[in-house]
Amino acid sequence: MQFFFEVLIGGLLSGIMYSLVALGFVLIYKASGVFNFAQGAMVYFAALSLVGCMEKGAPLWLAFILAFVVMTLLGIATEKFVLRKMVNQAPIALFMATIGLAFFIEGLAPMLWGNEVRPLNIGLVDEPIAWILDRYNIVVSSFDLAAAGLALALVAVLALFFQYTRIGRALRAVADDHQAALSIGIPLQHIWALVWAVAGFVALVAGMLWGSRNGVQYALTFTALKALPVLILGGFTSVPGAIVGGLIIGASEKLAEIYIPPVLADIFGGNFGGIENWFPYVLALLFLLVRPEGLFGERHIDRV
Amino acid sequence: MFYRETGQFKTSYAADQQIFPIRQDRIGIAILLVVAFVVVPLVAGSYWFNAILIPFLIFSLAALGLNILTGYAGQLSLGSAAFMAIGAYAAYNFHVRVEGMPILVSFILAGLTAAGVGILFGLPSLRIKGFYLAVATLAAQFFIVWCLTKFPYLSNNSSSGVISVPDVEILGYKFDTPPARYLLVLTLVSLMALAAKNMVRSTTGRAWMAVRDMDVAAEVIGIRLMHTKLLAFAVSSFYCGVAGALYAFCYLGSVEPDGFSLDLSFKILFMIIVGGVGSILGSFLGAAFILLLPIFLDISLPWLSGLLHLPFEGATVSHIQLMVFGALIMFFLIVEPHGLARLWQIGKEKLRLWPFPH
Amino acid sequence: MARQIGDVILDLKNISLRFGGVKALTEISFDVREHEIRAIIGPNGAGKSSMLNVINGVYRPQEGEIIFRGEHRHDMDTHAAAEAGIARTFQNIALFKGMTVLDNLMAGRNLKMKSNFLMHALWWGPAKREELGHRRKVEEVIDFLDIEHIRKTPVGRLPYGLQKRVELGRALAAEPQILLLDEPMAGMNVEEKQDMCRFILDVNDQLGTTMVLIEHDMGVVMDISDRVVVLDYGKKIGDGVPDEVKNNPEVIAAYLGTQH
């Protein structure tokens, strides 16, 4: 039973980290209607920039700031050279452009910083929390907990930002209707640059956490791809949805990985690991059939 | 002055409906076919067949399949590699397990198997669209590759799912030389491309494009969305399946599930973006472009690095390749969303006027 | 001018349509006779488009009956409506922008095509003959609407007025029993309106097609329609020949404004 809770809690905590990546998607989608497939690549790029700066001797706080500057510049460049030129095109075309962007970044990052796997030390240790271990005999990683706490704090700040500040309101207006926002004087390009900067910041935090947990490597981009099922469950435009979706995906993928393979091995014989590679996507697919707009997403009604 | 339609009047609808209504085009295609079927096998070397021509044809077929689904029917798919995998493994199983199964029949059955699975994973398209559908196709991509790796039965009990295919033999003749394999693949791909072209300019194709452009209006004029979408998935998967079978039997000789990864699906998607979505010709142009680009970079980058006195390591070449791919995709989507096929059309229009300016 | 107007072919009884709490249509009843041009008028938001959507199966009314050619049509969806011979055009042009004019019109004939995809792939005899036969028919429509010069042009590149005409063509290509026109002249200048009027009258005159048309231009409505239905806030407030309706005080108050 304890093992079940261990797996569950571990899954929930990693789920929060998925939420972080999904958050970046939500931000950009909310503000510009663009589904940014390159978010995963951005996480990777951010993490690499961070380690790269640290390797050159910068302390963590300085490397973080430098990496943030790099991500902001990347976001602004993307908006200026790619998105602005594609304003009239269908959303699918924009989506495919972000796929191209993902590939571009995935080539650029290792070219600038090298592609060996690197550890990232941010001062959090991956050890079981002593008092939980003693009292309940469950292993809960202190790293996971701290990371989850950080992620939740970030999400809370962003939610408040969107809801209560002037800029947050402007972002929501832009997400709703570009033309209308323009007509009331909202500077569209500044807003988009700002959104991509914030998304870059989120990518950086996600990259930092994932990178220190698993090492900074190319596989980070696949982890980020898992954010897609999170978005489907949570809805593309919802910040709380990204969290709930992340929790569900994180927990279910770990539980599936632990409990399904033995059952299959009994029936068919052989090793059935690797379920977590596809389980989140299949789950999202089944979910889509029941509720296409996600748990918290907006219903889309076509007017004829 | 050569590429003029002057004097070529169509006096029947049948003449107007031809694939190549302009006489110069017909001559051009005839020459191309003669070169492809007769000249090339006589003059080309092994490297050309094995590294360029055969994979070009196979990828063109896969790109055709994806173009039917995404370009004509508007259903975005990121799982085309998985359907190629199904085709490869199904062909292998049919051929190896059924005594005396002719190889061509195995290929067709492989395509049908892929079509069946395609319909299954296409069912969600009845309720979801756009990038949601793309995520659903990702489910197909990851799940299918996992199944092929983990269920030993599918790979005739080889470990980790690797299969080695026997030589292709039809009616006693062994297709074991590069020119022979090339001709076999060329014949199959040409026939399937012709079938595709016929389909897309018929009612079937119009129904697909109607669903792509405005499915509500399509319904109103009586087009059945479910049939149309599922047919697109079926035909598309059939083409990808046959491409996969050819990939295993006539190109690599030995495949593993990881060789049909998400990366390959993206590659095929890039082929139709660059070549032209919604264009048969575009599938071929895009396949050629994406296939030749790495070769071009492999040759030109070391030369460039020598010129600029910048040392390029091996890994850098693959990084630059990724960057160039990504940049090209963005470039094409911004500048010419209809891809090389459209540029080709524009070229032909200019040629019609040449040497006059207008 | 008008053809011999026949019996009732479409009968709508007590149609009520709701979207959540919003009542789009409340107990609307009226009929349409064969060969006539029936106009539906009313202020914006009166429910006119919703009414058309009910007739061709896009919306399913919560209450009421639709009787088409004597048959009760329960739960009629768009496919059934299309099969029954109900064709329509849309307020915001629902053409297939990626296809040519010819392809759009040929698409309009899809219900009449019997061959399947395999026959298309092989371009087998019957498939080829069928395609050419339908091409012939479509060319008649193209001729009728004077759009030969643009038949191979992708629809997305045409000016607005021509697109509207092509949409009419696509509906006509289906050889419909009833043609529903949703503001066919919206956004057109005087010349274009005159052309469209001429086409509508020609269709009614030469092909005998029954038409139900939503239109805001009162001059057009009074000139070309045989009978008019007036809607306001989802309720019917007038029904009769144009002169009657024009002088109906309720209609005047709601829609036409007082006469000067």
Side-chain angles (χ1 to χ4, degrees):
Chain A
M1 201 57 203
Q2 275 115 349
F3 183 58
F4 172 78
F5 276 113
E6 258 175 43
V7 176
L8 179 64
I9 295 177
L12 287 173
L13 292 175
S14 76
I16 302 262
M17 305 231 296
Y18 285 138
S19 304
L20 255 189
V21 184
L23 203 54
F25 276 107
V26 169
L27 286 173
I28 294 184
Y29 190 77
K30 262 173 104 83
S32 56
V34 174
F35 186 89
N36 179 25
F37 194 83
Q39 193 68 24
M42 282 165 68
V43 169
Y44 177 51
F45 189 71
L48 265 183
S49 305
L50 188 64
V51 233
C53 288
M54 284 175 75
E55 269 178 4
K56 298 262 194 304
L60 178 62
W61 63 268
L62 182 61
F64 191 89
I65 295 178
L66 288 172
F68 176 55
V69 169
V70 169
M71 293 308 293
T72 309
L73 288 173
L74 179 71
I76 295 179
T78 303
E79 196 280 316
K80 186 166 173 166
F81 294 113
V82 180
L83 296 178
R84 215 181 282 184
K85 304 246 156 71
M86 293 191 64
V87 165
N88 285 329
Q89 299 203 34
I92 284 287
L94 281 165
F95 173 61
M96 295 203 280
T98 59
I99 299 183
L101 180 65
F103 270 67
F104 185 79
I105 296 179
E106 283 167 23
L108 181 66
M111 215 173 75
L112 291 178
W113 303 109
N115 67 342
E116 325 82 58
V117 179
R118 294 158 155 103
L120 173 58
N121 182 1
I122 58 174
L124 297 173
V125 233
D126 193 3
E127 273 171 7
I129 298 182
W131 66 268
I132 298 185
L133 186 59
D134 291 335
R135 183 100 77 93
Y136 300 102
N137 206 16
I138 298 179
V139 174
V140 175
S141 158
S142 64
F143 174 89
D144 280 350
L145 203 56
L150 188 58
L152 278 172
L154 182 60
V155 169
V157 165
L158 281 171
L160 288 171
F161 173 74
F162 270 109
Q163 204 59 31
Y164 294 112
T165 65
R166 203 190 66 183
I167 298 185
R169 247 199 313 280
L171 281 169
R172 282 188 288 139
V174 167
D176 234 13
D177 190 330
H178 295 175
Q179 291 279 58
L182 263 177
S183 65
I184 59 173
I186 295 182
L188 223 51
Q189 259 116 41
H190 294 179
I191 293 286
W192 281 336
L194 178 64
V195 166
W196 280 80
V198 175
F201 180 79
V202 169
L204 179 56
V205 173
M208 184 176 77
L209 293 174
W210 277 106
S212 64
R213 190 184 207 248
N214 295 341
V216 178
Q217 50 180 312
Y218 181 68
L220 266 183
T221 53
F222 283 103
T223 312
L225 212 56
K226 288 260 179 72
L228 292 179
V230 170
L231 286 165
I232 290 191
L233 256 60
F236 279 75
T237 49
S238 160
V239 170
I243 306 195
V244 173
L247 290 172
I248 297 177
I249 292 289
S252 62
E253 120 180 310
K254 284 287 181 296
L255 288 171
E257 180 70 26
I258 297 289
Y259 288 107
I260 297 186
V263 172
L264 289 174
D266 276 342
I267 305 178
F268 294 104
N271 163 28
F272 285 92
I275 299 232
E276 53 187 5
N277 286 338
W278 54 266
F279 192 81
Y281 296 95
V282 174
L283 188 65
L285 172 58
L286 296 171
F287 198 82
L288 272 175
L289 298 175
V290 170
R291 207 185 147 81
E293 59 280 354
L295 287 167
F296 295 89
E298 289 145 15
R299 224 113 215 224
H300 180 67
I301 301 192
D302 273 318
R303 190 136 197 236
V304 176
Chain B
M1 76 178 69
F2 300 107
Y3 195 63
R4 278 212 171 290
E5 288 170 57
T6 319
Q8 300 181 38
F9 293 107
K10 315 288 180 301
T11 50
S12 71
Y13 295 129
D16 197 43
Q17 297 275 55
Q18 289 167 352
I19 296 180
F20 298 106
I22 303 179
R23 194 188 327 126
Q24 285 89 336
D25 278 338
R26 287 201 286 277
I27 297 178
I29 271 288
I31 294 179
L32 181 68
L33 287 174
V34 165
V35 168
F37 276 94
V38 178
V39 177
V40 168
L42 293 174
V43 303
S46 237
Y47 172 76
W48 272 87
F49 287 122
N50 289 330
I52 299 186
L53 291 169
I54 294 180
F56 160 66
L57 288 168
I58 294 177
F59 283 128
S60 300
L61 191 60
L64 259 179
L66 183 61
N67 224 337
I68 288 176
L69 183 60
T70 299
Y72 285 95
Q75 313 296 309
L76 182 58
S77 166
L78 295 177
S80 25
F83 292 104
M84 284 180 75
I86 294 180
Y89 279 77
Y92 175 73
N93 275 290
F94 279 116
H95 189 66
V96 158
R97 290 176 192 278
V98 178
E99 195 58 49
M101 169 77 80
I103 189 73
L104 286 177
V105 177
S106 302
F107 286 167
I108 296 181
L109 288 174
L112 290 173
T113 312
V117 178
I119 293 180
L120 201 63
F121 278 98
L123 285 170
S125 73
L126 303 177
R127 288 208 75 188
I128 56 184
K129 308 183 191 180
F131 359 99
Y132 296 89
L133 188 61
V135 177
T137 57
L138 276 181
Q141 171 68 49
F142 291 133
F143 179 70
I144 289 172
V145 169
W146 178 85
C147 279
L148 290 171
T149 316
K150 298 296 179 183
F151 285 92
Y153 175 79
L154 295 171
S155 46
N156 211 13
N157 293 313
S158 98
S159 66
S160 77
V162 178
I163 56 171
S164 290
V165 300
D167 273 332
V168 174
E169 200 182 302
I170 300 183
L171 299 176
Y173 177 76
K174 262 196 195 285
F175 284 80
D176 52 4
T177 63
R181 276 183 274 129
Y182 161 74
L183 281 173
L184 176 64
V185 172
L186 179 65
T187 312
L188 285 172
V189 172
S190 305
L191 290 173
M192 287 180 78
L194 182 62
K197 183 69 179 171
N198 283 335
M199 271 191 286
V200 301
R201 59 195 188 108
S202 69
T203 301
T204 307
R206 283 190 291 263
W208 285 335
M209 291 194 276
V211 166
R212 173 195 69 191
D213 286 342
M214 197 181 287
D215 53 1
V216 180
E219 268 189 307
V220 164
I221 62 174
I223 292 177
R224 285 199 181 280
L225 288 190
M226 181 172 85
H227 289 193
T228 308
K229 285 186 184 182
L230 290 181
L231 181 64
F233 271 97
V235 172
S236 165
S237 309
F238 180 86
Y239 273 65
C240 287
V242 173
L246 290 174
Y247 190 68
F249 279 80
C250 296
Y251 176 45
L252 291 182
S254 161
V255 290
E256 53 168 358
D258 279 334
F260 295 99
S261 68
L262 185 62
D263 248 5
L264 182 58
S265 285
F266 275 131
K267 232 179 174 166
I268 302 176
L269 181 64
F270 288 174
M271 286 177 201
I272 69 170
I273 295 179
V274 168
V277 263
S279 157
I280 303 287
L281 174 65
S283 315
F284 286 92
L285 294 176
F289 194 89
I290 297 290
L291 191 67
L292 293 175
L293 187 63
I295 299 178
F296 173 75
L297 286 175
D298 268 342
I299 299 174
S300 62
L301 281 177
W303 170 82
L304 199 66
S305 89
L307 204 66
L308 299 171
H309 297 291
L310 283 172
F312 275 178
E313 322 152 358
T316 314
V317 175
S318 66
H319 296 151
I320 293 190
Q321 220 177 80
L322 279 177
M323 286 176 68
V324 171
F325 270 133
L328 270 170
I329 294 300
M330 293 190 280
F331 175 78
F332 269 98
L333 284 168
I334 294 174
V335 168
E336 185 46 82
H338 297 282
L340 292 171
R342 180 98 182 94
L343 290 177
W344 172 258
Q345 245 187 353
I346 295 178
K348 275 176 39 170
E349 301 252 328
K350 293 251 151 67
L351 195 58
R352 287 172 63 186
L353 296 174
W354 183 80
F356 302 107
H358 58 86
Chain C
M1 171 197 78
R3 274 194 144 228
Q4 189 74 346
I5 295 188
D7 297 321
V8 170
I9 63 167
L10 176 65
D11 205 352
L12 299 157
K13 290 189 157 73
N14 288 319
I15 302 281
S16 287
L17 179 69
R18 279 188 300 280
F19 296 113
V22 177
K23 287 199 194 155
L25 300 168
T26 310
E27 287 171 23
I28 309 263
S29 301
F30 66 93
D31 60 39
V32 180
R33 290 174 175 273
E34 193 158 19
H35 306 312
E36 80 171 330
I37 298 182
R38 193 83 146 101
I40 302 182
I41 65 173
N44 280 322
K48 310 189 290 295
S49 284
S50 302
M51 194 69 242
L52 282 194
N53 282 339
V54 163
I55 297 177
N56 88 316
V58 176
Y59 296 152
R60 236 61 65 73
Q62 279 81 15
E63 280 143 37
E65 283 174 48
I66 305 171
I67 304 168
F68 186 61
R69 287 213 180 275
E71 276 179 52
H72 285 255
R73 301 250 157 198
H74 297 293
D75 267 343
M76 180 173 65
D77 64 4
T78 46
H79 192 265
E83 271 189 322
I86 304 175
R88 80 172 274 183
T89 66
F90 292 85
Q91 209 171 346
N92 292 318
I93 302 190
L95 284 174
F96 306 121
K97 299 265 162 88
M99 296 201 266
T100 61
V101 168
L102 184 60
D103 277 336
N104 267 275
L105 264 58
M106 290 288 277
R109 284 189 81 77
N110 80 92
L111 279 175
K112 304 197 189 288
M113 309 248 190
K114 299 294 169 221
S115 47
N116 62 37
F117 78 98
L118 276 173
M119 294 164 77
H120 293 146
L122 297 170
W123 205 235
W124 180 241
K128 184 170 175 179
R129 276 195 294 278
E130 192 182 59
E131 174 93 4
L132 292 175
H134 288 296
R135 170 77 189 266
R136 211 156 276 134
K137 268 283 167 195
V138 160
E139 287 287 339
E140 281 171 28
V141 174
I142 290 179
D143 219 16
F144 187 80
L145 293 174
D146 289 338
I147 47 178
E148 303 95 332
H149 57 296
I150 50 168
R151 60 157 90 73
K152 294 280 173 83
T153 314
V155 154
R157 291 208 219 139
L158 294 173
Y160 183 81
L162 278 176
Q163 284 189 17
K164 280 254 181 211
R165 214 191 290 180
V166 172
E167 215 195 352
L168 177 62
R170 187 181 65 187
L172 286 177
E175 292 176 83
Q177 306 267 326
I178 270 198
L179 183 49
L180 309 176
L181 299 165
D182 198 341
E183 300 199 38
M185 297 178 231
M188 288 187 176
N189 62 32
V190 173
E191 251 183 69
E192 289 169 332
K193 277 195 191 183
Q194 284 176 345
D195 280 339
M196 188 54 96
C197 262
R198 173 177 53 109
F199 287 128
I200 292 178
L201 286 172
D202 280 348
V203 168
N204 180 250
D205 217 23
Q206 293 171 28
L207 305 174
T209 314
T210 314
M211 301 209 261
V212 179
L213 113 106
I214 296 179
E215 187 45 58
H216 275 298
D217 185 331
M218 276 308 111
V220 166
V221 170
M222 296 304 161
D223 264 346
I224 71 173
S225 44
D226 296 309
R227 284 193 297 157
V228 181
V229 174
V230 190
L231 298 182
D232 189 23
Y233 286 113
K235 298 204 180 70
K236 185 171 88 166
I237 61 172
D239 185 354
V241 295
D243 280 329
E244 273 174 50
V245 162
K246 200 163 63 172
N247 295 320
N248 180 330
E250 257 189 79
V251 169
I252 293 173
Y255 190 36
L256 294 174
T258 47
Q259 285 186 297
H260 292 294

